[in-house]
Amino acid sequence: MDDVFKALADPHRRQLLDNLNAHNGQTLRDLCSGLDMARQSVSKHLAVLEAANLVTTVRRGREKLHYLNAEPINAITERWINQYDRHRIRALADLKTALEQPVNNPEFVYTTYINTTPQRLWQALTDPAFTRRYWGLTIDTDWQPGSTMTWHVPGTTITDPAQLVLEADPHRKLAYTWHTFTPQWAEGSGIDDDTLTTIAAEPRSKVTFEIEPLGDIVKLTVIHDGFEPGSTVLGMITQGWPALLSSLKTLLETGEALPDA
């Protein structure tokens, strides 16, 4: 956590985080615009933020896009928050909230580092015996691109031909469309009728898991996109993914998932 506090100590780096909070998914050129800093200086500050995992990057064609990443702040909040005074706690809580807020670019990007192997992580993402433990649901599919998916969530089963595996490169990349929002799912999840009507009318989103081995650990980047500006679903998954991925990480590293909130 020393890297996180070191990264946050510099006002220029906090300014870069503020800029990403205002508009996520920016290129280096975008971030340099309007800043009284040389391109090389901005690159060095971004490198520090990436090393602290406060910023994560995603390649889109020839472009390298930068995103806020809430994972290190979540780790501080969940594991070490009691070590700091009230003012530090309030500052961390405010930053955590800012990092998890849906922003102008309608997609969610989150990176975490897990002490596991790509093979084990792939199994945790696809094997019902694993997903049941940290997610509380299972998915029936053969995990081949184009195959349909049946979601078994508490209280109901969700089937829809639009629930599809989009990409499946074992131990490297997995992508699929998000599930359909049914009345039975809404009832079991405590979703009211007005919210169900709103989210059911939104375009179907998709989630991508990018797996990258880094020595003895694995870098997992989750990209959930396909949303329209102002999406209600985006706000919902933005709150859900950090807790879910923390439970996944804990399960793989300790053998026990986090207890339900």
Side-chain angles (χ1 to χ4, degrees), residues 93-152:
D94 290 344
L95 179 59
K96 179 177 182 288
T97 299
L99 290 174
E100 293 182 356
Q101 283 291 331
V103 290
N104 293 337
N105 199 10
E107 58 187 338
F108 174 82
V109 179
Y110 191 97
T111 296
T112 187
Y113 295 84
I114 306 175
N115 186 13
T116 190
T117 64
Q119 293 78 11
R120 189 71 166 167
L121 179 53
W122 181 268
Q123 185 181 14
L125 294 173
T126 59
D127 188 336
F130 273 89
T131 59
R132 184 182 293 111
R133 293 186 65 188
Y134 69 87
W135 202 343
L137 58 78
T138 62
I139 299 173
D140 283 343
T141 182
D142 60 10
W143 297 111
Q144 296 299 309
S147 294
T148 58
M149 308 169 68
T150 299
W151 292 60
H152 300 282

Side-chain angles (χ1 to χ4, degrees), residues 21-86:
N21 188 48
H23 185 76
N24 222 357
Q26 296 189 56
T27 64
L28 175 60
R29 178 182 299 177
D30 295 332
L31 289 167
C32 289
S33 178
L35 291 178
D36 189 20
M37 280 190 285
R39 183 184 181 94
Q40 185 177 8
S41 297
V42 175
S43 294
K44 289 181 178 179
H45 285 306
L46 286 172
V48 173
L49 291 169
E50 286 189 59
N53 201 23
L54 286 164
V55 166
T56 190
T57 59
V58 175
R59 288 282 182 182
R60 294 287 170 82
R62 296 182 178 180
E63 292 187 326
K64 182 180 181 181
L65 304 182
H66 299 78
Y67 293 86
L68 285 171
N69 186 45
E71 195 275 340
I73 304 301
N74 283 323
I76 293 173
T77 302
E78 293 170 3
R79 301 179 187 181
W80 295 286
I81 196 69
N82 291 333
Q83 297 181 25
Y84 303 101
D85 60 32
R86 291 182 180 179

Side-chain angles (χ1 to χ4, degrees), residues 159-175:
T159 58
D160 191 313
Q163 295 173 174
L164 296 172
V165 179
L166 301 175
E167 295 183 68
D169 185 358
H171 318 143
R172 295 175 59 87
K173 188 175 183 179
L174 177 66

Side-chain angles (χ1 to χ4, degrees), residues 153-217:
V153 301
T156 189
T157 294
I158 307 173
T159 58
D160 191 313
Q163 295 173 174
L164 296 172
V165 179
L166 301 175
E167 295 183 68
D169 185 358
H171 318 143
R172 295 175 59 87
K173 188 175 183 179
L174 177 66
Y176 51 79
T177 59
W178 203 236
H179 67 79
T180 300
F181 303 119
T182 66
Q184 295 79 11
W185 166 83
E187 182 178 356
S189 302
I191 304 298
D192 62 71
D193 290 343
D194 289 341
T195 301
L196 175 60
T197 299
T198 298
I199 63 178
E202 292 188 13
R204 186 179 300 273
S205 61
K206 68 174 182 178
V207 62
T208 302
F209 303 88
E210 296 183 350
I211 301 170
E212 180 183 351
L214 296 174
D216 294 331
I217 64 173

